Amino acid sequence: QVQPVESGGGLVQAGESLRLSCTVSGRTFMDYALGWFRQAPGKEREFVAAVYWNGLLTNYKESVKGRFTISRDNAKNTVYLQMSSLKPEDTALYTCAATRTGNWWRISTWGVYTNWGQGTQVTVSS
């Protein structure tokens, strides 16, 4: 069993950058693919990005491609989400989640994730 804990959120202006971190407790970190989801007030939770256990496979929501980069450091049990050129519409609660699913084609589906963090707020002002 693993428990994700996010950090790094904050208030930034449009065009600025922010890096989120998610540290995952537990000794089986490499068994898991990690994903980032976000939810804005009044909106449904949406997939943002995911990275496979070995860091070689990544997947992104279309609207963040070229602006966000997901990576992981297995030695530190940590996954990162580097966000650049932030826009007001990126404002949301960002949550990290872990999954042991072997179906990479479902990696953007929140239902395959079994372990969730509490989230970190990102607010982008215009």
Side-chain angles (χ1 to χ4, degrees):
Q1 194 74 303
V2 295
Q3 179 60 53
V5 177
E6 306 92 339
S7 62
L11 172 63
V12 297
Q13 293 188 339
E16 293 185 340
S17 299
L18 204 59
R19 188 177 79 160
L20 305 183
S21 299
C22 173
T23 300
V24 182
S25 63
R27 293 180 291 178
T28 58
F29 181 71
M30 287 184 63
D31 289 348
Y32 290 81
L34 280 299
W36 286 97
F37 289 78
R38 67 186 183 187
Q39 186 168 20
K43 294 187 177 182
E44 294 186 354
R45 177 169 44 191
E46 62 180 11
F47 169 78
V48 178
V51 59
Y52 199 44
W53 70 270
N54 58 9
L56 297 181
L57 286 176
T58 57
N59 193 4
Y60 294 93
K61 175 181 173 61
E62 192 64 35
S63 64
V64 307
K65 285 182 179 178
R67 300 189 299 123
F68 290 12
T69 302
I70 189 170
S71 62
R72 64 189 290 163
D73 185 338
N74 287 340
K76 296 182 178 180
N77 278 26
T78 301
V79 60
Y80 304 98
L81 185 67
Q82 177 68 48
M83 305 184 294
S84 302
S85 302
L86 282 162
K87 305 175 181 180
E89 50 264 43
D90 293 318
T91 295
L93 181 70
Y94 284 71
T95 305
C96 176
T99 176
R100 299 181 72 172
T101 182
N103 295 324
W104 181 250
W105 64 274
R106 296 189 64 203
I107 205 65
S108 63
T109 305
W110 68 266
V112 305
Y113 291 82
T114 55
N115 304 82
W116 293 81
Q118 295 299 309
T120 185
Q121 179 67 35
V122 173
T123 302
V124 184
S125 63
S126 58

